[in-house]
Amino acid sequence: MTCVTGLQDLNSLPAEDTSVVVIGAGPAGLTVGNILRAAGVDCVVLEVESRAAIERRPRAGVIEEWAVRGLDERGLATPALLTTERHTACEFRFEGQRHLFPYQELTGRHHYIYPQPLLVTDLVRSYADLRGGDLRCEVGDVRLHDLGSDRPAVSYRCPDTGRRRVLRCAYVAGCDGARGVSRAALTATGARTARHDYGIGWLALLAEAPPSADRVLFGVHPDGFAGQMPRSPEVTRFYLQCPPGDDPDAWSHERVWAALHRRLAASGAAALNEGRLLEKRVLDMHDYVVEPMAAGRLLLAGDAAHLVAPIAAKGMNLALHDAFLLGDALAGRCTGADPKGTGLAGYASAALRRVWDYQEFSQWLSEVYHGVAGGDPFRAGTSAARLRRLFTSPRAAAAFAEQYLGTAERY
């Protein structure tokens, strides 16, 4: 995908008019689209993948309580989401012992376990089927034009005709992820990308196996971190720390399960349920933040604006937070409820406060997970100290629970 400034190459093409073009049909883009449709604002959502592909893309599965409440307030929480499995505790395993962390007892809050494909399916149905939203999938060669004007344009190649089509709009919501055209367009204007590399990889696994415990498990082990994240009664997500750039094919079925059994072993723990591996891919662990998140009439949300490694399961929650702020601000501006655009002017700074808080927590938690496996006795000692403090200091436990659940009163 490329970014084009100016409209000279489009002068010969007819253009459609709409208020907002949303690029990307993930959780952020579809939430923004739904908010706009509910407010009576015309918009078009563009997506390079097919509808079937976005509805089955395996991604996150942990949604924080405030995010579900935000979806429910906007009419986007289905009965399936509201009644899905809830987690009230997590468990750390280190030095051969199990350590339960009952965060609901500390905060009164919980997590919802709802795989991202189910949420996307709900949001697509709400936007396209129930609200009659304009969703155009499998588009190609998306380009952004004249973003500094008050009437920018988005062009793309139509999958049916192969011809270029043009959409003129008042605003562009860039929700198309890390590799999308929106992020590239914003950084081309001089926006800064702050990046942090952890220097490790995670082997992400999806197993056709029931969870061995009804909670998230964090295995802190000298061989490397291991994690279990339940996704459904039949499917479980696992992670194994590995070298960055490692070859997933080097991890045979036998090697994967041997490592998981070893790193998640603890006195009195049930044996892991093994099963067929449905997915194996290596994630090179890094974070980035694009700042500012807006320039001219282009505003970013979700992974287009920031990426947080899956260390604390924050990515989808940040995408929803962005979408609530951006969708509400765009609706206010386009309907005249906010004629001066105060919400849009404050959108990026409001979103970034939570983004940076979650990034800091991810870094802190990474040291807990990975410090003992780095071969550095100093890091191993500080990692062990953090774990001990978490289970001996009520104030430390309360602070961790607040960050883990995203329940701070202000960001």
Side-chain angles (χ1 to χ4, degrees):
M1 293 183 179
T2 57
C3 172
V4 177
T5 58
L7 295 171
Q8 292 181 354
D9 58 335
L10 301 184
N11 288 341
S12 61
L13 299 176
E16 301 173 69
D17 286 316
T18 190
S19 294
V20 181
V21 175
V22 180
I23 306 176
L30 289 167
T31 300
V32 170
N34 271 292
I35 292 171
L36 293 174
R37 288 298 301 152
V41 177
D42 57 307
C43 62
V44 177
V45 177
L46 301 178
E47 169 58 47
V48 298
E49 301 284 351
S50 68
R51 177 169 173 172
I54 63 173
E55 289 182 347
R56 63 171 180 260
R57 214 161 30 194
R59 289 292 186 270
V62 177
I63 309 181
E64 293 169 357
E65 188 176 348
W66 63 264
V68 173
R69 189 164 58 248
L71 289 167
D72 195 31
E73 290 169 354
R74 293 163 177 85
L76 297 173
T78 62
L81 171 56
L82 294 174
T83 58
T84 193
E85 181 182 358
R86 302 181 184 188
H87 281 192
T88 60
C90 59
E91 183 178 313
F92 287 83
R93 295 182 176 181
F94 58 94
E95 297 176 349
Q97 300 298 317
R98 302 167 61 197
H99 300 267
L100 185 68
F101 189 84
Y103 48 79
Q104 187 176 50
E105 292 181 11
L106 296 169
T107 65
R109 306 291 179 85
H110 55 265
H111 280 132
Y112 290 81
I113 305 304
Y114 201 67
Q116 182 171 316
L118 295 183
L119 178 62
V120 168
T121 299
D122 294 344
L123 293 172
V124 169
R125 180 174 179 270
S126 175
Y127 176 75
D129 301 338
L130 301 182
R131 291 184 162 130
D134 190 342
L135 172 63
R136 305 182 189 184
C137 292
E138 300 182 79
V139 303
D141 191 24
V142 178
R143 304 186 185 192
L144 309 183
H145 310 267
D146 210 19
L147 295 172
S149 75
D150 60 1
R151 201 66 183 164
V154 179
S155 67
Y156 66 93
R157 187 179 64 251
C158 176
D160 298 323
T161 66
R163 296 178 179 175
R164 182 156 293 279
R165 299 185 66 175
V166 181
L167 293 163
R168 293 185 188 273
C169 56
Y171 297 97
V172 179
C175 309
D176 49 342
R179 298 178 180 84
V181 65
S182 303
R183 180 186 178 211
L186 195 65
T187 55
T189 69
R192 181 191 71 179
T193 300
R195 182 182 170 100
H196 173 73
D197 288 286
Y198 290 91
I200 59 171
W202 273 14
L203 180 67
L205 304 155
L206 202 62
E208 194 175 48
S212 63
D214 61 352
R215 62 185 70 97
V216 172
L217 304 178
F218 304 124
V220 180
H221 193 276
D223 289 351
F225 171 77
Q228 176 206 263
M229 287 72 180
R231 286 293 180 263
S232 75
E234 301 83 23
V235 175
T236 305
R237 169 73 74 187
F238 291 99
Y239 291 111
L240 282 169
Q241 183 181 344
C242 65
D246 205 2
D247 181 4
D249 291 335
W251 289 82
S252 66
H253 178 97
E254 292 74 19
R255 184 186 178 193
V256 163
W257 287 108
L260 286 170
H261 280 291
R262 185 169 59 255
R263 298 185 195 184
L264 288 171
S267 178
L272 295 182
N273 295 314
E274 296 188 17
R276 183 168 63 98
L277 296 175
L278 306 174
E279 178 192 58
K280 288 190 299 181
R281 57 193 177 100
V282 170
L283 310 175
D284 288 342
M285 304 296 278
H286 68 278
D287 308 319
Y288 65 75
V289 178
V290 178
E291 200 168 12
M293 288 170 53
R297 296 300 181 99
L298 172 63
L299 304 103
L300 303 189
D303 286 358
H306 43 73
L307 180 72
V308 57
I311 290 167
K314 295 295 190 181
M316 182 164 62
N317 294 287
L318 281 179
L320 290 172
H321 183 251
D322 290 352
F324 297 155
L325 292 175
L326 182 54
D328 292 347
L330 284 169
R333 182 70 178 89
C334 293
T335 62
D338 180 13
K340 295 183 178 180
T342 303
L344 282 178
Y347 159 66
S349 61
L352 282 166
R353 284 193 289 271
R354 187 182 287 262
V355 169
W356 281 117
D357 187 89
Y358 280 17
Q359 294 284 16
E360 187 278 331
F361 180 59
S362 179
Q363 283 192 300
W364 184 91
L365 194 55
S366 174
E367 280 300 300
V368 172
Y369 289 168
H370 307 119
V372 300
D376 181 338
F378 188 89
R379 286 185 65 199
T382 55
S383 173
R386 289 180 179 186
L387 281 167
R388 285 195 300 271
R389 185 165 62 246
L390 187 60
F391 290 97
T392 57
S393 167
R395 290 185 178 181
F400 175 87
E402 179 184 88
Q403 289 186 291
Y404 189 52
L405 292 160
T407 58
E409 290 186 9
R410 292 185 68 253
Y411 284 95

